[in-house]
Amino acid sequence: MQCRVGCGACCIAPSISSAIPGMPNGKPAGQRCVQLNAQNQCLLFGLPERPAVCSAFNADEQVCGKTDSEALQLLTWLEQVTTVSAATSK
């Protein structure tokens, strides 16, 4: 699956613990990345400054669904369940 241009769900829903230009402490889940422009496109796409976790993300219908809003819902849900799982396994 190719990313849907202008979706941006992967730049909003998940938390990112690594530094991002303009967000030195990363970003919390649900917060829009400062590198996401008004058209929901990553300003760091293809650049070495882009965090490794972002570069490693691959669009897939299981996590991106069929629409931008479905992607945001699915990725938000995944963030929540993995956060809960990580917290309970400690």
Side-chain angles (χ1 to χ4, degrees):
M1 172 180 182
Q2 294 288 343
C3 284
R4 285 185 295 272
V5 175
C7 173
C10 60
C11 300
I12 299 168
S15 60
I16 297 176
S17 58
S18 58
I20 301 165
M23 301 180 99
N25 298 316
K27 71 167 220 57
Q31 181 178 340
R32 187 179 178 84
C33 179
V34 298
Q35 296 299 329
L36 192 62
N37 70 16
Q39 292 76 38
N40 282 346
Q41 296 172 320
C42 177
L43 297 171
L44 299 177
F45 193 84
L47 298 177
E49 297 86 5
R50 188 174 186 213
V53 67
C54 299
S55 296
F57 180 81
N58 291 313
D60 185 279
E61 194 170 324
Q62 290 185 327
V63 294
C64 298
K66 296 185 183 300
T67 65
D68 299 353
S69 62
E70 191 175 359
L72 189 57
Q73 289 173 338
L74 287 167
L75 288 168
T76 297
W77 175 79
L78 284 168
E79 175 69 26
Q80 291 170 347
V81 298
T82 56
T83 300
V84 169
S85 295
T88 58
S89 68
K90 290 183 180 177

